[in-house]
Amino acid sequence: MPLDYAALARFRLELRGFLHFSERAAHAAGIEPQQHQLLLALKGLPTNDEPPTVGNVATWLAIQHHSAVELVDRAVARGLVRREHDAHDRRRVLVHLTHEGEALLDRLSVMHQHELQSTAPALLGALKRVLDSMA
């Protein structure tokens, strides 16, 4: 089956447009885009199955463990997250949002929802074209 390069290129363009918006929004809020991703991962992590450990954060962000440690260190220094030892396993370190981190995430999430309302039709249309070309 021939690849539809135009469909793939359009999907990447639409996706990259949203990601670029997200990066600019994080910078405008005074944080790094990866810090925003950290806050979102912590808020969205299914805690019943995956406690908010540095290792789980690394998995959710698709980064190396040592990179997640450094990211958490910077977020702790900014007052966006806090660390605590797991009450059931003292070797495990949990990461939680602070009130400041949660408030910042809420503001960024509202901005992202508004952006998605305007960009979703083009993004979904591009994805549909890619999927249709695979059928």
Side-chain angles (χ1 to χ4, degrees), residues 23-34:
E23 292 163 2
R24 286 192 330 260
H27 285 297
I31 62 171
E32 302 165 24
Q34 276 196 318

Side-chain angles (χ1 to χ4, degrees), residues 118-132:
S118 66
T119 61
L123 185 59
L124 291 172
L127 177 59
K128 183 178 181 335
R129 186 170 168 200
V130 169
L131 295 175
D132 287 348

Side-chain angles (χ1 to χ4, degrees), residues 57-64:
V57 164
T59 299
W60 272 67
L61 298 181
I63 59 177
Q64 296 295 315

Side-chain angles (χ1 to χ4, degrees), residues 38 42 52-54 57 72 81-84 93-97:
L38 168 66
L42 288 172
T53 63
V54 174
V57 164
V72 168
V81 301
R82 63 182 167 75
R83 283 187 176 98
E84 70 179 43
V93 176
L94 304 176
V95 184
H96 299 282
L97 292 173

Side-chain angles (χ1 to χ4, degrees), residues 94-108:
L94 304 176
V95 184
H96 299 282
L97 292 173
T98 63
H99 293 295
E100 182 182 343
E102 185 126 15
L104 180 58
L105 177 61
D106 287 346
R107 287 193 307 273
L108 283 168

